[in-house]
Amino acid sequence: MSLLLITGGSGSGKSAYAERTLLSRMPPEGGGRAVYLATMENTGPEAAARVARHRAMRARHGAAAGRTFVTLEQPVDLGGAAVLPGDFVLVEDLGNLLANELWSPAGAGRAGAEARILSGVRALMERAALLAVVSVDIFAGGDGYDPEILDYIRTLGRLHRTLAALAEESAEVVCGIPLAGKGLPAYNEHRPAAPAGQEA
């Protein structure tokens, strides 16, 4: 029922924050599954290394919370994922999903990618107890791109705006710190207290 949008740059700690947050919202016993919808297609050594790193991180976070993530490969058609009512679902990540919908043979293509993703998010919101969507911030790199890449960036930006409006909470993660966002406390409330005699 609830949507949480988590954004951040590459290596910002957004995925770790999303996993810990989702696990912390689950009831101590019983309830739905922790479900990880993996959107990255394993297309080579670099992608394989990222997949392995994320699997290891999920295992660590799950073990710390006494949970095990159920991983479902979902490179396209988010709404078709085998999510059960009451599951706690993490989508990793929106940027990969959009690229797949735009350019993969099974994707919806330029004409339908954005609408398919949004309908998929809404379908998951109807079934999941909590849906956390992770997405990458790629909007500070200038505009010297070819038209196809610029279209991708603009589409991702529109998706961010739409999901932020739908979400009960949103956060931008920088260096592992969730900055103030919709439904979140101000940045200073996330900072640890400074040791006595030192400035925060």
Side-chain angles (χ1 to χ4, degrees):
M1 295 290 184
S2 297
L3 175 63
L4 170 59
L5 176 65
I6 299 163
T7 63
S10 179
S12 64
K14 61 187 180 296
S15 299
Y17 172 75
E19 291 178 13
R20 290 194 303 266
T21 300
L22 182 124
L23 291 166
S24 73
R25 305 285 174 89
M26 298 184 73
E29 294 186 17
R33 305 173 298 170
V35 176
Y36 184 97
L37 296 185
T39 64
M40 174 172 274
E41 294 182 314
N42 196 338
T43 55
E46 184 177 343
R50 281 189 64 190
V51 167
R53 188 167 61 250
H54 279 268
R55 282 180 181 155
M57 185 169 67
R58 285 200 300 281
R60 277 196 319 275
H61 289 152
R67 300 276 183 176
T68 301
F69 273 102
V70 175
T71 300
L72 304 176
E73 304 293 332
Q74 201 70 33
V76 296
D77 186 21
L78 197 62
V83 169
L84 303 176
D87 282 345
F88 289 73
V89 181
L90 192 156
V91 176
E92 174 78 44
D93 74 7
L94 189 63
N96 285 328
L97 179 65
L98 175 59
N100 297 338
E101 289 288 8
L102 286 171
W103 299 311
S104 290
R110 183 176 179 181
E114 187 173 352
R116 191 184 198 187
I117 289 170
L118 290 174
S119 68
V121 167
R122 290 186 172 100
L124 292 183
M125 286 177 69
E126 290 178 4
R127 304 200 298 272
L130 173 64
L131 175 62
V133 177
V134 177
S135 192
V136 66
D137 181 348
I138 55 170
F139 308 109
D143 59 0
Y145 300 104
D146 66 46
E148 189 174 41
I149 298 302
L150 280 175
D151 182 60
Y152 167 83
I153 292 169
R154 290 177 182 131
T155 303
L156 187 61
R158 286 195 302 272
L159 286 168
H160 280 199
R161 289 197 302 272
T162 302
L163 294 189
L166 286 173
E168 289 186 8
E169 297 178 43
S170 64
E172 179 187 5
V173 179
V174 178
C175 298
I177 300 168
L179 301 184
K182 184 178 181 181
L184 287 176
Y187 165 66
N188 282 342
E189 295 180 42
H190 291 287
R191 299 177 67 188
Q198 296 184 22
E199 285 190 24

